[in-house]
Amino acid sequence: MSVVKLEQCRERICAELDSVVDFWLKYSHDTVHGGFFTCIGRDGKVYDELKYVWLQGRQVWMYCRLYRTMDRFHKPEILEAAKAGGTFLRRFARVSSSSGQWKCAFCLTRDGKAVKVQRTIFSECFYIMAMDELSRVTDDKDMQLEAEQMMEQLIHWVRVDPSGLGRPQLPGDIPTNSMAVPMMLLCLVQQLTEGRGQEVAQKYSELGSWCVQQILQHIQRGGTAILENVSVDGAELLGCQGRLQNPGHALEAGWFLLRYSADWGDEEIRRTAIEKFVELPYQCGWDKQHSGLFYFLDVDGHCPTQLEWSMKLWWPHCEALIAFLMAYRYTKKPDLLETFLQVYEYTFSHFPDSKNSEWFGYLAQDGKVALDFKGGPFKGFFHVPRCLYMCELLLNDLLAKKD
Amino acid sequence: MSVVKLEQCRERICAELDSVVDFWLKYSHDTVHGGFFTCIGRDGKVYDELKYVWLQGRQVWMYCRLYRTMDRFHKPEILEAAKAGGTFLRRFARVSSSSGQWKCAFCLTRDGKAVKVQRTIFSECFYIMAMDELSRVTDDKDMQLEAEQMMEQLIHWVRVDPSGLGRPQLPGDIPTNSMAVPMMLLCLVQQLTEGRGQEVAQKYSELGSWCVQQILQHIQRGGTAILENVSVDGAELLGCQGRLQNPGHALEAGWFLLRYSADWGDEEIRRTAIEKFVELPYQCGWDKQHSGLFYFLDVDGHCPTQLEWSMKLWWPHCEALIAFLMAYRYTKKPDLLETFLQVYEYTFSHFPDSKNSEWFGYLAQDGKVALDFKGGPFKGFFHVPRCLYMCELLLNDLLAKKD
C-alpha cells in the first residue's frame, strides 16, 4: 500500500471534516431559543423544529472535542456554539421522573418543552458526554461534577435497579445484556477518565473492566458470531432477539475495545477485538452483491423483522473506517488496511453529497439514496465528524511514522 | 369492463382465500400452549415463538367471521381454532396496569408471559374485536359483556382521561388526533352493533358519529390532502408529524366511512369518503415510477423520516382493493372499477408467493421482495384474508346484480 494513497485519503478526510463542520455551523444553530436544529434537509433547510436530545448532546461533545484537540477548530465560534448547546441542554433536557430520579428527555420542542422520554439510558449517556467534554474546555468544575453525578445514576440503573427508567416489570421480559449498554458505558468511562490522572482512572477501573466482560459475552457460536443481545449470563437468547446481528455496532465496540486494550496494555483484548469485533462483523456483514454493510442480519440466515435490515446506513461505515484503521495502526497487518480502503471507497463514493456537502444517511440495498436529509431523529453532527476526526488523527500518526 | 374479467377476479380471490386459510390452519396453531404462532417464515416454519397480541386477536376475529358468514368455512376445525385462540387471549393477554385498570400486553412468550405492554389502545381494540365476534359464534353472553366492558375502558382512555395508558404527561407532548384512533373506534362500533338491533345501535350512535367527525378532521389543505395527525381542534400540526401522509390508512378509513354511510344512509359522507378517502390517497400515494402505494409521504414533498417510507407493504394494497371495490359497488363509476383492477394487477403480481402460498408483506420500492416472511410482529392472519373475504362478498353482490 503506497504512502501516496494514504496521503490522498488524509487529504480527502481533512477537507470533508472542514466541510461537514461548516455545514452544521451554518445551518443548525437556533439563535432564538438556543440549542441545535437536528432535522435538516438535503440543502440545509430545517424541515422540523423538534430538537432530539441525543443529537444535542453529541453536537456539544463533538464541537468541544474539535475545539480542544485540533488547532484549526480552536475558534471562538465553535466554543460559543458548544456553550450555547450546553446551556440549552442543562436548562431543558432534564425532567424529573415518577421515581424522583432525573431522566433526560428524548425530544424537545424548539423552545425546550419535553415531548418524549425514552425508558432507556441513552439520552443521559449523551448528556454526560456533552457535560464532561464541555467542562474540559470551560474548566467548569460544577459541570464536571454534574456529569459524574448523572453517571452514578446511570450505573445504578444498569447494575443495581432499573426501575427508575420507568419500564414496568413483566414476567416475560427477562433481563438481557444488549450490546449498546456496556458499549455506551465503556465509552463514558473512557470519556470521564481521559487524561484525568490515576485517581479518576482507579475510580472507574472496575466499571471499565465489567463493561469489557459484558461486551465479550456477545461472542457466540463458538467464536463465529457477534450477537447483539445475550442473556445476563452470556448465553444465547431464543428467537429473533437472540439471533440478531448489528455489524456496525460490533465494529464500534471493536474500536472501543482497541482503545481500552491500548490504555491498559492488554494484548489479549487487542487480539480478540480485532479478530472478533473488527474482522468478523465485516466478514458477516458486508454485502457481497452490492457492497456496503447491512444494518441487521439474522445469524441463522432468517429474514430479520426490521424493515430496514438490508439498507446501508452511514454510521456502520463510519465505525468500520475507524475500526479498521485503528486495527491497522496497532498491528500493521496489510489485510486490515486493504479492508479500510475498500470501505473507504464505498463510503466516499456513496454517502457524501457533492452538491450541498455533508452526507446522506440512508441508502437502499443497491446503494441508491433512499432518504436524502442530512439530519434527522438519529442523524446529527456526530458519526460523520467523529469518524473523520478519528481517521485524520490515525492517519497523521501512521504517516508521521512512515515519513 | 367485462363481466368475464370480474368473474376471473372472483375466482382468483376465492382460491387465494382458501389457500391463505389453509396456510394458517396448517402452520400457526400452537397445540401445546394454545394461541397462535405469529412469526412464520416463507415456507411455514416458525422462526420465533413470541405471540403478538394484536395478531392473536385478529386471527380469532377472522376465523369467527369466516365461520359465521361463509358456508365453506363453517367447519369445526375453524371454530375450534378460534375458541382455542380466545381461551389463550382471555387467560394471558390482560395485565393489570399501575393505574389498576386492565391493559392488554403487546407481546407474550409462547406460554403466555407478558413481554411488552404498549402505551396505546390497540392491543385492547383487537381483544375486543376477538371477544365480540367469538361471542357471536359461541353465543357466550359473558364474553360479549367482557368485550363491552373493555370498550368502556377504551372510550374512557380516548375521550376522558388517557392517564391509565401509562404515558407520562409532558408539556411538549400536546394531545393529537391520530387517524388510527377514531378509525379503530369506528371499526369497533360497527363490530359491536352489527345485527344487534336498535338498542345497541343507539347506545353507540353518538360515539360512531364522533368517530366520523374525528376522521373527517384529517381532510386538510383545502380538501387536497388527508393528513395522518391533526390537532384535537382539527388544525394542521407543525413539522413532520403534521405533514405525514399514510395512504393505506386513509384508504382503510375510506371504506369504514363508506360502510357507515351505508348503515345510516348518509349520502354526503359517502361522497366525501369516495372523493377524499379513496380517490385522493390513491392519487397522492401511488408510485408513478414503479407502481404500488407508498407507505408514508410528506405532504410538502420533504423526505419522510421513516426509513421504510418508500417500501410497498401488503396491507395498504389490501385496503385499496376493498375501498375501490366498495366505492364502485355504491356508485358504479367506471373509473373506480378501473383503479380497482390496476391495484388488483399490481397486488396479485407482486405479493402472493406462488411457491409456498400466502403473501409476502414487504417489497422494496421497485417491487422486489425485501422481507420474505409470511407472519411477523405486525403481519398475521388478518389484512390478506379480510381483503379477500370483503372482495369476494362485494364481487358476489356485483355479479349477482349483473347476471
Side-chain angles (χ1 to χ4, degrees), chain B residues 214-234:
Chain B
Q214 292 283 303
I215 293 171
L216 296 180
Q217 284 191 340
H218 294 262
I219 307 172
Q220 293 288 324
R221 305 272 176 123
T224 62
I226 303 297
L227 301 182
E228 185 71 4
N229 305 295
V230 295
S231 82
V232 290
D233 311 320

Side-chain angles (χ1 to χ4, degrees), chain A residues 39 46-49 95 109 113-119 166 168 170-173 238-241 243 295 298 302-311 313 362 366 370-373 375-377, chain B residues 39 46-49 95 109 113-119 166 168 170-173 238-241 243 295 298 302-311 313 362 366 370-373 375-377:
Chain A
C39 292
V46 174
Y47 63 86
D48 194 318
E49 294 181 345
V95 294
T109 58
K113 294 195 199 78
V115 175
K116 191 177 168 187
V117 179
Q118 286 187 319
R119 299 178 287 184
L170 296 169
D173 183 21
L238 282 176
C240 295
Q241 186 195 20
R243 295 191 306 266
Y295 189 12
D298 178 296
H302 296 284
C303 178
T305 55
Q306 289 84 355
L307 302 197
E308 65 276 27
W309 75 271
S310 63
M311 292 178 76
L313 272 65
Y362 304 89
D366 63 8
L371 292 93
D372 71 2
F373 50 74
Chain B
C39 292
V46 174
Y47 63 85
D48 194 317
E49 294 181 345
V95 294
T109 58
K113 294 194 200 79
V115 175
K116 192 177 168 186
V117 179
Q118 285 187 319
R119 299 178 288 184
L170 296 168
D173 183 21
L238 281 177
C240 294
Q241 187 196 18
R243 296 190 306 265
Y295 189 13
D298 178 294
H302 296 284
C303 177
T305 55
Q306 289 83 356
L307 302 198
E308 65 276 26
W309 74 270
S310 64
M311 291 177 77
L313 272 64
Y362 304 89
D366 63 8
L371 292 94
D372 71 2
F373 51 74

Side-chain angles (χ1 to χ4, degrees), chain B residues 156-258:
Chain B
H156 180 79
W157 286 332
V158 173
R159 299 187 70 179
V160 183
D161 176 11
S163 63
L165 293 171
R167 282 197 297 265
Q169 293 276 68
L170 296 168
D173 183 21
I174 54 164
T176 61
N177 169 359
S178 294
M179 182 78 99
V181 172
M183 265 179 69
M184 246 348 287
L185 281 188
L186 182 58
C187 179
L188 288 174
V189 166
Q190 293 173 334
Q191 174 66 37
L192 293 169
T193 56
E194 187 198 316
R196 285 235 167 86
Q198 233 4 74
E199 199 184 324
V200 181
Q202 214 47 54
K203 177 177 171 190
Y204 289 108
S205 76
E206 187 274 335
L207 178 62
S209 147
W210 179 83
C211 291
V212 169
Q213 294 317 308
Q214 292 283 303
I215 293 171
L216 296 180
Q217 284 191 340
H218 294 262
I219 307 172
Q220 293 288 324
R221 305 272 176 123
T224 62
I226 303 297
L227 301 182
E228 185 71 4
N229 305 295
V230 295
S231 82
V232 290
D233 311 320
E236 188 171 330
L237 295 166
L238 281 177
C240 294
Q241 187 196 18
R243 296 190 306 265
L244 188 67
Q245 297 184 290
N246 180 334
H249 241 178
L251 285 155
E252 188 177 3
W255 72 262
F256 289 1
L257 289 175
L258 278 175

Side-chain angles (χ1 to χ4, degrees), chain A residues 75-224:
Chain A
K75 298 190 295 190
E77 64 169 326
I78 289 182
L79 177 62
E80 288 314 311
K83 282 159 76 175
T87 304
F88 185 83
L89 268 179
R90 290 181 98 176
R91 186 151 167 218
F92 299 117
R94 286 169 304 172
V95 294
S96 65
S97 78
S98 54
S99 63
Q101 297 167 339
W102 286 105
K103 279 284 295 165
C104 284
F106 175 70
C107 184
L108 303 168
T109 58
R110 183 176 176 187
D111 60 354
K113 294 195 199 78
V115 175
K116 191 177 168 187
V117 179
Q118 286 187 319
R119 299 178 287 184
T120 60
I121 61 168
F122 304 110
S123 290
E124 292 75 11
C125 289
F126 297 114
Y127 187 90
I128 294 169
M129 269 177 79
M131 291 306 143
D132 182 80
E133 189 65 33
L134 184 55
S135 78
R136 290 167 184 265
V137 296
T138 56
D139 204 28
D140 183 332
K141 297 291 173 208
D142 282 350
M143 191 180 283
Q144 188 189 335
L145 188 66
E146 194 191 321
E148 286 186 25
Q149 283 167 346
M150 184 72 91
M151 184 72 178
E152 293 307 313
Q153 175 72 87
L154 214 66
I155 297 167
H156 179 79
W157 287 332
V158 174
R159 300 187 69 179
V160 183
D161 177 11
S163 63
L165 293 171
R167 283 198 296 265
Q169 293 275 67
L170 296 169
D173 183 21
I174 54 165
T176 60
N177 170 359
S178 294
M179 182 78 99
V181 172
M183 263 177 71
M184 249 343 290
L185 281 188
L186 181 59
C187 179
L188 289 174
V189 166
Q190 294 174 334
Q191 175 67 37
L192 294 169
T193 56
E194 188 199 316
R196 283 233 169 88
Q198 228 12 68
E199 198 183 327
V200 181
Q202 212 49 52
K203 178 178 169 189
Y204 289 108
S205 76
E206 188 274 334
L207 177 62
S209 146
W210 179 83
C211 291
V212 170
Q213 294 317 309
Q214 292 282 304
I215 293 171
L216 296 180
Q217 282 190 341
H218 293 261
I219 307 171
Q220 293 287 324
R221 305 273 176 122
T224 63

Side-chain angles (χ1 to χ4, degrees), chain B residues 13 80 97 102 120 224 227 240 256 262 271 320 327 381:
Chain B
I13 282 170
E80 288 313 311
S97 78
W102 285 107
T120 61
T224 62
L227 301 182
C240 294
F256 289 1
R271 246 193 333 273
F381 184 65

Side-chain angles (χ1 to χ4, degrees), chain B residues 23 27 40-46 353 355-356 372-374:
Chain B
F23 184 95
Y27 295 119
I40 297 183
R42 174 176 189 150
D43 57 1
K45 284 202 196 80
V46 174
D353 175 8
K355 188 172 166 218
N356 295 292
D372 71 2
F373 51 74
K374 302 298 169 50

